[in-house]
Amino acid sequence: MNLLAPRNNWYPLTWSRNITRKLARHRILGMDLVVYRSEGGEVIALDDACPHRLAPLSMGKLRGDAIECGYHGMTFGPDGRCIRIPGQPMIPPNARVPSYPLREKMGLIWIWPGDPALADPSLIYNLPQFGEAGWHAAEGDALRIETNYLNLADNLCDPAHVSFVHLSTLGNAASEEIPVEHSFGDRGVLVWRWIRNAPPIPLFGKYGNFSGHVDRWHYYDYIAPCIAVIDFGSADAGAIADPEDRGRGLRIFACHFITPVDDNVCIDHWLHVRNFALDDADVDQRLHADFRIAFNEDKEILERIEEVVQARPNAKTIRLAIDAAPQRMRRIVERIVAGEAEARASA
């Protein structure tokens, strides 16, 4: 597998709500893991292969906080060390499976697949509005997309496609000719544009009660390798003079936390944080229905593109001005991965 993804990074693995005392199998970066909760509620992830015959540990049983292999009963503690071999009192020192650092944040379980000594929890992404007064967070879905995770990241660095792919939810024709602006950092890309004095998009037409034209914005904030947060909203035309005052309008953060499953599959864990209808569970469900339509539109076009790429391996594509941010996004990931490889070589 040649998946281009840093190892020393926090990745979303699954929703916290999904992990219980039942053994569950999850795949990330081409690695199969068995994940479960301890009796005290701690989340544990081990390599999902017994070192004896490679039987998946997820087919075994929990014995307290340890896993008993379902083939020959070898038992492994939460740290991956074997603590029992039936009929054999001597346990070899290499009878162990890898374990991985985990943390829970923003409703998700985050995993560090690289060097455990570098797993600093403060590096997990934090959206300041999540959990703050005046904002409401609503967990969404885990959308499986049959494409490489960087292709989804391309999409999430690209406001231009919204005018054509999401006309029933997130876009309209008013934005077609508005150029995008961008800025670049060491680990991220920010792409944005404002559409002034234009009809509201369908989504904000439902919830904004706007009587006329609006000013609306899209800020696509990508942080390598797997975080994309879209800050978008609307206000009455002329109501917001300073772009930093976006909180005065209807504002949503659509958060996309991407799990690279392997070379050809990724999972988009999405949620939203908004500054209106804070205690309205019906709005949660209505917004999620809209988002499901929009994100499935992305899924459809990305998977169709993947089919064409597989059918035309030697096809040449052209570059447009709107490709500046996605290209920089990929260069950032390549640089991080190359830095890790250099560090391993020097070590």
Side-chain angles (χ1 to χ4, degrees), residues 75-317:
T75 305
F76 300 87
D79 62 356
R81 290 186 304 110
C82 180
I83 58 175
R84 175 176 180 256
I85 301 177
Q88 179 178 319
M90 192 278 290
I91 298 176
N94 63 346
R96 62 184 306 140
V97 294
S99 62
Y100 298 91
L102 298 172
R103 291 292 186 277
E104 296 187 68
K105 189 172 184 178
M106 294 182 68
L108 288 158
I109 292 170
W110 299 80
I111 185 168
W112 182 276
D115 182 351
L118 302 177
D120 181 355
S122 70
L123 299 176
I124 302 174
Y125 176 79
N126 179 62
L127 179 71
Q129 290 80 4
F130 188 93
E132 281 198 351
W135 294 89
H136 173 73
E139 293 180 7
D141 298 339
L143 181 63
R144 180 184 175 93
I145 304 177
E146 304 284 330
T147 193
N148 187 281
Y149 84 104
L150 291 177
N151 295 330
L152 176 58
D154 282 340
N155 176 276
L156 295 171
C157 291
D158 173 24
H161 82 277
V162 175
S163 307
F164 304 95
V165 177
H166 303 308
L167 292 178
S168 67
T169 52
L170 304 178
N172 59 32
S175 57
E176 287 184 10
E177 300 299 331
I178 306 297
V180 298
E181 302 181 70
H182 48 256
S183 62
F184 306 127
D186 287 342
R187 290 192 69 102
V189 171
L190 181 65
V191 191
W192 71 94
R193 66 177 172 182
W194 281 77
I195 298 91
R196 302 281 186 180
N197 194 26
I201 61 174
L203 187 144
F204 282 122
K206 290 182 181 180
Y207 305 104
N209 297 317
F210 295 109
S211 59
H213 281 190
V214 300
D215 292 339
R216 60 184 176 90
W217 64 86
H218 288 86
Y219 285 77
Y220 282 46
D221 190 9
Y222 166 79
I223 302 169
C226 62
I227 307 295
V229 176
I230 302 169
D231 168 0
F232 69 109
S234 297
D236 288 322
I240 297 179
D242 183 350
E244 295 304 310
D245 288 338
R246 299 192 293 279
R248 295 174 55 192
L250 265 69
R251 190 178 186 187
I252 296 176
F253 291 91
C255 302
H256 298 265
F257 302 127
I258 308 170
T259 302
V261 175
D262 53 32
D263 286 322
N264 304 309
V265 177
C266 65
I267 297 174
D268 181 9
H269 294 91
W270 58 266
L271 59 86
H272 83 267
V273 181
R274 66 179 188 267
N275 68 350
F276 59 93
L278 302 185
D279 300 312
D280 194 331
D282 181 60
V283 171
D284 285 355
Q285 298 309 312
R286 290 164 58 200
L287 272 169
H288 281 167
D290 290 327
F291 286 138
R292 288 185 184 104
I293 292 171
F295 302 154
N296 274 290
E297 289 168 338
D298 288 324
K299 170 184 168 69
E300 180 179 9
I301 198 164
L302 288 170
E303 291 184 342
R304 288 294 187 90
I305 290 171
E306 185 65 26
E307 290 174 5
V308 175
V309 169
Q310 295 300 322
R312 305 184 184 189
N314 299 317
K316 302 296 183 183
T317 60

Side-chain angles (χ1 to χ4, degrees), residues 154 157-158 180 182 318-329:
D154 282 340
C157 291
D158 173 24
V180 298
H182 48 256
I318 63 173
R319 303 292 187 197
L320 304 179
I322 58 174
D323 296 325
Q327 287 183 66
R328 180 62 68 92
M329 175 274 294

